[in-house]
Every structure is written in structure tokens, then in C-alpha cells.
Amino acid sequence: MHRGKKGCPYELRLYELGASGEVADIQVECVKCGSKEKPTTRRMSDAFSDEGKVELRQCKGRWPHLRKFDENPCQGKQRAILLGALE
């Protein structure tokens, strides 16, 4: 999201710009370090690109969606995944 910028408290918001639910239609905005004149936004599809894969950091052993944190960080590299519901 921040392209290497440090020190931001990372309050992120997601916006759906289309009806498809594709990652290209989802915009991520940081409301802490951005401003109305110059918002910090990126498309979710950036995380799936070759450039985005390079920017993903080392795994810290956190599962925020499960409210779980591993005291011993794993040695893996983070990766983007897309989860969705089936009809």
C-alpha cells in the first residue's frame, strides 16, 4: 500500500468500484497518511502483480481475521490470495 513508507498507523478502507468483485475493481485507501488533495490509494490488483509480490514483506505469523498472533514468526513470504463466496 505505502510503497516502503514507514511510520503510518495504517487505517485502510476498501472501496468496490465495480460489480464484478475482481481485484482490479477494489481500491484500497489509507485514511491516515493520505489527504483529500493527495490520497494514498492503490488497486488491490497491485498486490497480485510481479511488482506487488516483491513488495510483500516477510511473514510475521499473524492472522488478524482470526485474532491470532504467533510468538515465533514464520520464515515464509507473504502472498496475496483472493477469498470469495460461492453461489
Side-chain angles (χ1 to χ4, degrees), residues 10-74:
Y10 291 93
E11 183 179 328
L12 304 177
R13 291 199 181 136
L14 299 177
Y15 298 96
E16 288 188 63
L17 304 176
S20 70
E22 294 180 14
V23 292
D25 291 340
I26 300 172
Q27 182 172 296
V28 183
E29 175 185 13
C30 180
V31 296
K32 290 292 185 179
C33 66
S35 67
K36 295 214 185 267
E37 293 79 31
K38 187 177 179 184
T40 302
T41 61
R42 288 180 87 170
R43 295 289 174 115
M44 186 66 83
S45 56
D46 289 354
F48 292 85
S49 70
D50 289 337
E51 177 187 333
K53 290 176 185 175
V54 171
E55 291 182 21
L56 290 174
R57 296 193 171 126
Q58 184 74 24
C59 176
K60 294 182 180 180
R62 297 183 69 170
W63 298 277
H65 60 293
L66 300 175
R67 292 179 171 78
K68 184 177 177 184
F69 180 76
D70 191 348
E71 293 179 17
N72 301 313
C74 71

